[in-house]
Amino acid sequence: MHHFVRASNELLRKRGYRLTPQRYMILSVIQEANEHLSIEQITERVQQRNPYVSLSTIYRTLELLKQLGLIRENHLPGEQPHYEAAEGHAHHHLICRGCRTTIHLNETLLGNLHEQLQEEYHFHNLTLDLVAAGYCTACWAAMQQDERGSQGCSEPPEAQGEERQSEQVEKQQVVQNIDTEKEIEPDSNKQHHAAGANDPARRDL
């Protein structure tokens, strides 16, 4: 039995609970993982060991283990809650908003803030959970490249102005052509009537 599960068993007994097979499996799954696990991931791994463990049992067990301080529930930006073994009083994460890479930071990052809070505000059994979010080098470089590409595709203001001027000229030409056709049409009608008047056949009618 791993020391984390063994310590959890001792705490459960002190609080009047038993280390049931279901609780043992859930603790083992969380402890053995090298990553933060969602409820779906925990359920999948537990049911691989025992398919008869229900989702409601997993929910209740996670809530109990969280209340006892045996596991941590982490709310990472933009994701559903994830769980991990609670070892130590401080736990910090550095998360990439792009690829979701999560880095565990050193517990001493915040110095003795834990002791200062306990002493100044008289809080007990404190836990510190820092979540810092940004972009890793690879994701940041990709974002910069996409931004430069989008800027290169857009036309400069000078080109947009020239295009608008060309459209206006084309409209003016269309209007002028229409006016010219209107002027020509009456003249042609007059010539047609004059030719009809001079026609001998039409005079006989």
Side-chain angles (χ1 to χ4, degrees):
M1 183 182 295
H2 191 271
H3 69 88
F4 169 70
V5 180
R6 188 164 53 248
S8 300
N9 184 28
E10 294 175 1
L11 180 60
L12 285 167
R13 289 180 180 274
K14 289 181 181 179
R15 300 293 182 88
Y17 299 96
R18 295 186 304 109
L19 184 62
T20 62
Q22 294 85 352
R23 292 169 184 169
Y24 174 79
M25 279 188 290
I26 293 173
L27 283 170
S28 298
V29 164
I30 294 175
Q31 187 277 320
E32 293 170 3
N34 295 321
E35 57 182 340
H36 303 84
L37 298 179
S38 65
I39 293 180
E40 288 78 7
Q41 291 172 319
I42 295 173
T43 302
E44 180 182 359
R45 300 185 186 192
V46 169
Q47 291 182 345
Q48 286 177 352
R49 304 184 183 190
N50 185 350
Y52 298 102
V53 179
S54 66
L55 181 60
S56 59
T57 298
I58 294 175
Y59 268 103
R60 289 196 303 269
T61 302
L62 289 175
E63 187 64 28
L64 173 63
L65 298 177
K66 186 176 66 173
Q67 291 177 359
L68 295 176
L70 296 174
I71 62 173
R72 280 192 178 93
E73 182 183 67
N74 298 305
H75 293 268
L76 306 180
E79 294 188 3
Q80 59 179 316
H82 283 66
Y83 299 87
E84 62 180 337
E87 298 177 298
H89 295 289
H91 200 66
H92 312 309
H93 301 91
L94 180 62
I95 303 171
C96 176
R97 298 180 185 272
C99 62
R100 313 307 299 174
T101 295
T102 302
I103 300 174
H104 289 258
L105 302 177
N106 196 314
E107 291 187 1
T108 62
L109 184 66
L110 299 182
N112 63 341
L113 179 60
H114 182 270
E115 290 77 10
Q116 292 181 28
L117 292 174
Q118 286 190 148
E119 181 178 352
E120 183 172 352
Y121 297 99
H122 306 290
F123 271 59
H124 306 279
N125 195 26
L126 285 177
T127 58
L128 299 179
D129 298 312
L130 170 67
V131 177
Y135 295 95
C136 68
T137 302
C139 290
W140 183 253
M143 290 175 58
Q144 296 299 310
Q145 185 175 359
D146 292 342
E147 184 176 352
R148 287 194 295 268
S150 61
Q151 290 177 353
C153 293
S154 59
E155 293 184 350
E158 295 81 1
Q160 296 177 0
E162 293 176 357
E163 183 178 354
R164 285 195 294 269
Q165 291 178 359
S166 176
E167 292 178 353
Q168 293 177 356
V169 170
E170 291 179 358
K171 290 180 180 179
Q172 291 177 355
Q173 291 177 348
V174 171
V175 172
Q176 291 176 356
N177 292 336
I178 293 175
D179 293 339
T180 302
E181 291 176 357
K182 289 181 178 179
E183 293 175 357
I184 293 174
E185 184 177 356
D187 293 339
S188 61
N189 290 336
K190 291 178 180 179
Q191 294 175 0
H192 178 72
H193 290 310
N198 296 326
D199 188 357
R202 296 182 63 88
R203 284 199 302 269
D204 294 336
L205 293 174

